[in-house]
Amino acid sequence: MKLGIIFGIIIGLIGFGLFAKTKKNNTQPKASKVSAKEFVAELEKLGYYKYADKKNIDSLKNDLIENYDPTNELVTIWDDDTGVPLDYRYYWCDGETVYEQGGFTEMLEQVIPTFDKIGLIIKVTNHFEEWDDKNKWLNHRITINGTEYVIFKNFKETGWGEAVMRFAEIINTEAKKQSIDEKIFLASGGNDGRLVFLTDELYNYIYGVYNNDEWKPLEVSEWTKAMGIKPMKLNKN
């Protein structure tokens, strides 16, 4: 009787271990069937490197091939002096910096090289950013190309993700107005955030190959859900 109980316990533990292992494997990002060279070749075909200087294209392609990992994030090479990506697509985007005073316009300045490459006109004519000590809230708005955008209204939280969200939404709105087919997608968050300029065709291809939702580029609406960012009331009244 005792041997039977012990045997049953052992079988149960083995079964539980196999279940746990299977569950863990099912929740982990899986390796892609697309090889590194195939992935980079398709990116090039879809125009991923069209804005890069010709002298940098081979280095960019080789770097991505060497560091290709669909369970992690895209990679690129940044200019050591300016921080601008040599592909003019894949930027660092620190949510804390974008949220802090002056950070929004600083990010605008950072991505100007890509605006120039894709033909996007961004002209700021008014910018208001004020922390109200009495009410303990932030009001922040900006006028771009004649349209006033509210970034924060009576906002009392710590808005790292919200600032990045509004940045992407505003730039994408202006891109759509100007019939620009490149727009911003977002990856990761906090101090490790990324901002990626892609066409829908490039995005759909990358989205289908990369499979880690914490690191791959996402549509802004999908990214906000992944980051747990709540909708904000931004009406100006």
Side-chain angles (χ1 to χ4, degrees):
M1 183 67 176
K2 290 183 179 179
L3 287 175
I5 293 173
I6 293 172
F7 182 74
I9 291 173
I10 291 172
I11 294 298
L13 289 173
I14 292 172
F16 178 79
L18 289 173
F19 171 78
K21 184 177 180 180
T22 301
K23 185 176 181 181
K24 182 178 180 181
N25 289 340
N26 287 339
T27 58
Q28 294 299 308
K30 298 178 181 179
S32 173
K33 295 180 180 179
V34 178
S35 72
K37 289 185 178 179
E38 289 172 335
F39 179 71
V40 170
E42 186 64 19
L43 284 189
E44 186 170 31
K45 180 181 176 182
L46 295 175
Y48 188 87
Y49 300 105
K50 67 188 289 186
Y51 304 120
D53 293 341
K54 289 184 178 180
K55 65 180 181 180
N56 294 324
I57 292 177
D58 284 342
S59 296
L60 285 163
K61 289 165 61 178
N62 290 334
D63 182 67
L64 183 48
I65 289 171
E66 291 173 9
N67 295 286
Y68 174 70
D69 181 3
T71 69
N72 205 316
E73 67 166 321
L74 282 169
V75 297
T76 193
I77 302 172
W78 291 275
D79 184 283
D80 290 334
D81 297 322
T82 65
V84 174
L86 298 186
D87 55 25
Y88 291 94
R89 291 190 179 279
Y90 197 61
Y91 286 85
W92 288 89
C93 184
D94 184 331
E96 181 180 10
T97 298
V98 178
Y99 172 68
E100 290 179 346
Q101 187 170 14
F104 198 94
T105 50
E106 182 181 318
M107 194 71 226
L108 280 176
E109 290 289 330
Q110 179 71 9
V111 297
I112 281 177
T114 297
F115 291 161
D116 292 341
K117 290 284 185 178
I118 67 179
L120 180 61
I121 297 171
I122 297 293
K123 185 177 181 181
V124 178
T125 53
N126 192 35
H127 182 224
F128 176 85
E129 185 177 10
E130 182 180 76
W131 173 257
D132 187 321
D133 278 325
K134 180 181 178 181
N135 294 297
K136 303 299 179 183
W137 63 36
L138 173 66
N139 282 290
H140 190 181
R141 54 187 182 271
I142 191 168
T143 301
I144 295 177
N145 299 337
T147 299
E148 184 180 74
Y149 293 97
V150 177
I151 301 168
F152 291 111
K153 181 180 178 180
N154 300 343
F155 188 77
K156 295 186 176 184
E157 308 299 326
T158 301
W160 293 16
E162 288 83 354
V164 172
M165 175 191 71
R166 290 299 293 142
F167 185 93
E169 288 175 339
I170 290 167
I171 297 306
N172 288 348
T173 296
E174 287 299 318
K176 186 175 182 180
K177 286 182 182 180
Q178 297 173 46
S179 300
I180 304 293
D181 62 357
E182 304 277 359
K183 63 182 181 181
I184 290 175
F185 296 85
L186 300 171
S188 191
N191 298 124
D192 295 318
R194 307 286 190 268
L195 179 158
V196 195
F197 285 88
L198 299 169
T199 62
D200 284 334
E201 193 173 19
L202 275 167
Y203 168 70
N204 289 331
Y205 178 66
I206 294 169
Y207 189 92
V209 174
Y210 276 68
N211 49 52
N212 188 332
D213 288 343
E214 294 182 7
W215 279 108
K216 71 179 183 180
L218 298 173
E219 290 268 10
V220 178
S221 58
E222 187 175 354
W223 179 84
T224 56
K225 292 179 182 178
M227 296 295 111
I229 298 169
K230 298 177 182 179
M232 297 186 296
K233 295 181 179 179
L234 296 172
N235 59 299
K236 291 178 283 186
N237 297 324

